[in-house]
Amino acid sequence: MILEATAITKDFKVKQKKFRALDRVSFALDEKEVLGIVGESGSGKSTLGEIVGGLQKPTSGSVYYDGKDISNLNGDDKKLFRRSVQFVFQSPKETMNPYFSIRTILAEPLRINYRKLSKTEIERSISDMLIRVGMDPKNTLSYRPSHFSGGQLQRIAIARALLLDPRILICDECTSSLDVSLQAQILNLLVSLKKEIGVSMIFISHDISVVRYISDRIMVMKDGHVVEIGESDEIITSPKDSYTKTLVETAYR
Ligand SMILES: Nc1ncnc2c1ncn2[C@@H]1O[C@H](COP(=O)(O)OP(=O)(O)OP(=O)(O)O)[C@@H](O)[C@H]1O
Ligand SMILES: [Mg+2]
């Protein structure tokens, strides 16, 4: 087990009132496993992803990375956790500085995390990674984000996440803004990268057919609760909860 969330609860204050976005959510992620998280809009998927990735703090409950509570990490352990958990979001454009070249955007995290790398080593790493995600470095590195389509930018965002050699990749609706054929391309890329580098993934989407394609196990969420969790095929072929049944029926009708 690489990551464990125990009884995660998250309250937000909305118009002076407490709103519970997550209610005692627990799950574990194994080494090299892809866990899909599916549920309708507002079910708490992104909030949960951000909490287990250390971007938000839970109101109560704990997250353990390699058995260590992430709220108690300090110094090198904290840096290592930050580097080991990387995110790919829905709109890559929003996470990239429009005035920077892709070279600068990809080099920055490497420069910050590996101070001893030379310029040549950085250039080689980012070029190699671009090739792995299906982009030609020559026609990519000097351009700014606006030069690229959504699908290409998502490949670049995946390259940026993988450059830091993470152990966990959290993909939050990372194919949702792409049309169907591009969605399939990015999904296939993630599946092959998963096989190649053996990274664990949390794959968040509102679309259960997309989640099924890539996930070993699926966790179904509704209104901040876990509805059910199990092997992907089992969730799809014999869902136990009526909510999961509806999700499956709607997706495969
Ligand atoms: N910072 C915040 N302040 C107040 N409420 C929030 C905040 N962040 C999330 N929420 C609320 O918490 C609930 C869960 O939000 P979250 O974004 O995690 O859902 P989601 O499952 O990712 O939805 P979507 O499929 O639309 O991305 C929603 O009702 C949302 O409005
Ligand atoms: Mg979301």
Side-chain angles (χ1 to χ4, degrees):
M1 189 187 336
I2 181 168
L3 193 81
E4 188 182 16
T6 56
I8 300 292
T9 293
K10 180 72 179 182
D11 294 333
F12 290 113
K13 230 183 193 159
V14 181
K15 292 182 188 152
Q16 311 293 327
K17 274 194 186 149
K18 192 178 82 178
F19 169 75
R20 184 147 289 184
L22 291 171
D23 191 9
R24 288 164 294 150
V25 174
S26 301
F27 71 89
L29 178 71
D30 274 330
E31 200 94 41
K32 300 184 181 181
E33 181 187 33
V34 180
L35 175 70
I37 301 181
V38 69
E40 64 199 13
S41 181
S43 55
K45 306 179 298 294
S46 295
T47 306
L48 182 62
E50 293 194 2
I51 287 173
V52 299
L55 300 184
Q56 282 196 51
K57 286 201 162 69
T59 306
S60 63
S62 305
V63 179
Y64 300 91
Y65 172 69
D66 264 348
K68 287 182 193 158
D69 188 333
I70 64 167
S71 66
N72 297 330
L73 297 178
N74 41 35
D76 286 348
D77 280 347
K78 199 170 191 166
K79 268 193 206 150
L80 192 62
F81 173 71
R82 286 261 152 85
R83 202 177 78 204
S84 304
V85 183
Q86 292 295 318
F87 285 83
V88 181
F89 292 107
Q90 178 167 0
S91 314
K93 216 174 194 158
E94 284 166 26
T95 68
M96 293 178 190
N97 188 321
Y99 302 107
F100 286 174
S101 67
I102 299 302
R103 175 181 283 107
T104 307
I105 289 169
L106 292 181
E108 191 168 67
L110 282 178
R111 271 207 310 269
I112 294 169
N113 282 280
Y114 304 98
R115 288 175 195 273
K116 286 184 185 138
L117 283 183
S118 70
K119 262 197 159 161
T120 330
E121 286 168 321
I122 290 182
E123 182 82 4
R124 194 181 315 131
S125 299
I126 61 183
S127 296
D128 287 352
M129 192 53 82
L130 280 174
I131 293 168
R132 280 174 97 155
V133 300
M135 297 292 290
D136 173 15
K138 251 201 251 135
N139 294 318
T140 305
L141 286 169
S142 336
Y143 293 96
R144 292 179 182 178
S146 59
H147 179 76
F148 299 96
S149 68
Q152 291 172 321
L153 274 186
Q154 202 55 292
R155 287 176 189 270
I156 295 168
I158 292 167
R160 179 177 57 182
L162 294 178
L163 270 168
L164 290 173
D165 202 16
R167 290 176 69 204
I168 302 173
L169 193 63
I170 301 181
C171 301
D172 188 351
E173 305 278 5
C174 73
T175 64
S176 302
S177 60
L178 304 172
D179 64 43
V180 175
S181 69
L182 274 175
Q183 247 187 38
Q185 283 181 27
I186 296 293
L187 275 175
N188 283 326
L189 171 66
L190 288 170
V191 169
S192 65
L193 288 170
K194 175 205 158 194
K195 281 188 197 137
E196 254 176 66
I197 58 180
V199 68
S200 303
M201 281 190 217
I202 293 177
F203 189 91
I204 297 172
S205 173
H206 62 280
D207 185 339
I208 199 164
S209 64
V210 170
V211 166
R212 180 209 194 167
Y213 188 77
I214 192 166
S215 306
D216 301 308
R217 281 190 305 145
I218 295 177
M219 179 161 102
V220 182
M221 292 185 65
K222 186 176 193 301
D223 301 333
H225 294 272
V226 177
V227 171
E228 62 181 302
I229 181 166
E231 298 295 322
S232 290
D233 289 344
E234 215 152 289
I235 294 278
I236 301 291
T237 54
S238 43
K240 292 190 179 57
D241 192 275
S242 62
Y243 178 69
T244 313
K245 277 183 196 148
T246 315
L247 277 186
V248 173
E249 275 162 17
T250 320
Y252 292 99
R253 197 162 23 212

